[in-house]
Amino acid sequence: MSKQIDSVFDGAGAKPGLEIWCVEKQLRLVPVPKSLHGKFYSGNSYVVLSTVLPRSGPPQHDIHYWLGKDANEVESTLASDKALELDSALGSCTVQYREVQGQETEKFLSYFKPCVIPIEGVFSSDSGQLNGESYKISLLTCKGEHVVSVREVPFSRSSLNHNDVFILDTASKIFLFSGCNSSTQERAKALEVVQYIKENKHGGTCEVATVEDGKLVGDPEVGEFWSFFGGYAPIPRDSPCVEKQSDSPFSQLFWITAQAKLCPCEGSSLNKEMLETNKCYMLDCGAEIFVWMGRNTSITERKKSISVTEDLLRNQGRSMATHLTFLTEGLETSIFRSHFNNWPQVVEPKLYEEGRGKVAAIFKQQGYDVKELPDEEDCQPYINCRGKLKVWRINGDQLTLIPDPEQTKLFSGDCYIVQYTYPGNGRDEYLFYAWLGRDSVPDDRADAISHMNAIADSSKRDPVLVQVIQDKEPLLFFSIFQTVIIFKGGLSKRYKNLIAEKGILDETYDEQKTALFRVQGISPENMQAIQVDQVSNSLNSSYCYILQTGTSIFTWIGNLSSTVDHALLDRMLELINPTWQPISVREGSEPDIFWNALGGKTEYPRQKELKQHVEDPHLFTLTCVDGMQNTLSNFIHSRDDVLCLGSELLQVLIAVKFFLMVGIGSYAAWLNFVAGDFKVKEIYNFAQDDLTTEDVLILDCHEEIHVWIGSHSNIKSKQQAILLGMKFLQADPLVEGLSSETPIYVITEGREPLFFTRFFEWDSSKANMHGNSFERRLAILKGKKQNLEVHTSKSWKASSKETTPDSLRSKSVSSNGRNSTSPVSSASVTHFNSPTNYQISTPAPTARKLFPGSPFHDSAGSPKAEAESPSQAAVLAQVDGNDASENSVIYPYERLKVNSSDPVTDIDVTKREVYLCDDEFREKFGMRRKAFYELPKWRQNKLKISLHLF
């Protein structure tokens, strides 16, 4: 197979980022230098490779072959073939896209923000420049609210219309003309294109003018604009463009034979079993066509399949806007899977534990006593965990405030409201949870949400609201509590009445009853004990358990549990009841009395519970039909209980109360009735600028979702946002098996917490600008400084017991007089995607440790401290914007690699990169140190792993 692959692809995909090749007139593929990335010549065809290092799992590759409008058919065919060769060189682990000039996919355009403006002419690798380029006045049209498709149109008045945004680029001035039917977001994105043209074509010196559709010649700039078209004349009034979509999207599956013939696949519906691994198929969805290639097909078969599909488009006269996507078995996109009924959710093992074990073994060879590697990124709560905590239990129509010593004890038959107040950027920040017990009564659930919103509304602080259902708690929830015990049963009046009416045995926890607790957690600052059914199949070899029989206490230690689990077990015993004297039992040596208490010995899970594959987050924009607002409003005002509340903030929650009362089956139908036409669109390669103030967006983190509400959006209450979040979970646009019980965070523009902004390169000044997105972008373009309050993320240090003010809550098991520090406060250097925001702990003169800031404790129970090493000093220098400290020790890359034949000793092996010289650092990482340390920690580690530096 290697003989069929062009040598120009040697080493391709080894580093994250973009790699581009151009098909020259000599029909050879040449690499395009990075300085010319984003400049595409209409007379050429290109192959573009995008490589991404996800938070976990192997690198992800996307291949795009771009066809210029003036490229000949031979060059276009060669680009298609080379894209397939590149896929083969990368192990057939890519998704391939055909891109046609002017009809590019949004994913392709997202690589080259703010835009791609094709250049007339032909690329020459000898000069790297356009052959025969000359300046001329041009008229461009811009379409798109998050990525912009820019297309040059004839320089004529007839090209203008009321629906689009246009840019007139002249020698001395750039004009932006906004059609009256264009959106604010499109106008704002077009301004980014204006800025790009100004900087790249005019050297940043030309003037910029904005012209509104329908504005007469009273303004000199308006008159100057129309003078280029021979004077002002009205543009014909056309109706706004409306995209016609069929109610049931057309899709038909064809088998592509060895003779390159298309054979329709019979069947009323599509399912995965129709796809055979030794064949290729074409799925025709009208506006998009997929070619699915089985794992056992050859390159020749795949080339034929692609060729026959492209021939189909030409022979049928299909629109050039028809997108072609080529998929290898096992790499199906969510859009492709959505056309099949019940596509199976297959979770493939990622060899996570095996990989961690190998890394630990490498550290052991260098003299470190390592039992396991902590997940620093996953264990970070990203907010100050020394705030104030208040917990209320729902008790009928009343709220019962839980005393401080009892706040960590929850019952699965009850619902609770949690208010957490913590210090933010010069002000207190509020976080509210509605925790709904697994066995709680629907009325209590509805009241919990209603009361949470009433309390949040009274705070007048735009707090973050979260809906959480038992067993789906996010890490942050447990980090705030630090220690949680969840008992079976409940204390609320409604729960007691329900079990009495149904004659159900009251399982509410009692020290005299038999009870089994599963102990779990990641550190003493984040541990839980969950009461489970007292039967043997509740056991799992990966955990430790506490069995209370009334007369005896047993601790059961699973064979696959870790030393951290054992330490948490001892701590949890003291918290539940410090007087207990337990009998320690290891798995496999249980006495009969132990099994008798569990009703006899039966089978239970004995396999290692592997860590779930962590997917990168995805950002989506949401749109609903206008009728949704009216339908929802009419529904709310038709209910008598809304009128007596009189709070707009609570209105939608009453609707939530309705569906909770009638049950989940009716809820699904009701939600469809309320939300109406609901459209979701993914934003690829997202950034903070994609959070446009007119929109509502959802950040899908897989284990939780964040609903972000723009200040100028038509969603005016957090309850409406909760409903949109529920609708999103029901839609499951990535076909990833999202649970309807996934936690939903609701966040408003300008009050974004760190656990949200960490997914972006965050600039607080942007988050606090005034006006709509167009006005904000125009102010930036013209250099006008708004009078804003700019919030800069600052570092903070956790206080010890002696220095903690009375207003701050004690940590961990406070009911037993214990104190410990927050996992965040102990981090040596933690980066939150903000160039000015680092957390630096006070150094202590103690022995060097492998993982600075580890929340775990040593065997004696005392926290381990970390002295600031020279390498950490170098990191702090880099944080301040310098590259490397002058006094830093420098070593060559070959000696710093983990697999080096001549390894360096006496260095901090977790910070190998700081010992590289500046030039070698930029060569290996493809960026300066400052840019590297502004990346999220998980992305830093991925880059280091790819370079054998971690």
Side-chain angles (χ1 to χ4, degrees), residues 38 52 98 134 153 167 211 302 332 393 432 449 575 679 818:
V52 175
R98 186 187 74 152
S134 60
V153 295
I167 295 174
V211 178
R302 297 181 182 193
E332 297 85 0
R393 182 173 57 248
F432 284 89
I449 300 174
L575 182 61
K679 297 179 182 178
R818 292 171 178 258

Side-chain angles (χ1 to χ4, degrees), residues 360 363-372 849-851 864:
F363 284 129
K364 283 185 178 182
Q365 290 176 359
Q366 303 196 20
Y368 292 94
D369 184 17
V370 182
K371 292 186 173 60
E372 59 181 277
K849 191 176 60 175
L850 177 60
F851 297 104
K864 294 181 179 179

Side-chain angles (χ1 to χ4, degrees), residues 394-396 398 414 444 491-498:
I394 304 300
N395 193 15
Q398 301 176 344
D414 295 334
D444 282 349
L491 305 177
S492 76
K493 297 176 183 177
R494 288 171 176 158
Y495 176 79
K496 296 293 186 184
N497 292 338
L498 177 66

Side-chain angles (χ1 to χ4, degrees), residues 826-842:
S826 61
S828 235
V829 178
T830 303
H831 187 213
F832 293 130
N833 277 355
S834 174
T836 59
N837 183 29
Y838 285 81
Q839 296 183 0
I840 306 170
S841 64
T842 304

Side-chain angles (χ1 to χ4, degrees), residues 894-906:
E894 293 301 326
R895 294 194 64 195
L896 290 171
K897 295 193 301 182
V898 293
N899 56 354
S900 173
S901 58
D902 181 23
V904 179
T905 58
D906 196 28

Side-chain angles (χ1 to χ4, degrees), residues 428-499:
D428 282 345
E429 301 289 351
Y430 290 84
L431 180 59
F432 284 89
Y433 285 93
W435 186 87
L436 313 179
R438 177 64 59 189
D439 302 321
S440 58
V441 179
D443 278 350
D444 282 349
R445 293 190 175 200
D447 284 340
I449 300 174
S450 178
H451 285 304
M452 174 185 69
N453 284 271
I455 298 173
D457 192 19
S458 65
S459 72
K460 306 295 183 183
R461 301 291 183 90
D462 255 347
V464 176
L465 304 188
V466 196
Q467 175 183 289
V468 175
I469 297 177
Q470 182 184 348
D471 300 329
K472 294 293 184 179
E473 297 90 350
L475 176 66
L476 182 58
F477 180 84
F478 287 138
S479 297
I480 289 171
F481 277 90
Q482 297 185 26
T483 302
V484 176
I485 306 173
I486 301 179
F487 298 104
K488 294 177 73 69
L491 305 177
S492 76
K493 297 176 183 177
R494 288 171 176 158
Y495 176 79
K496 296 293 186 184
N497 292 338
L498 177 66
I499 61 174

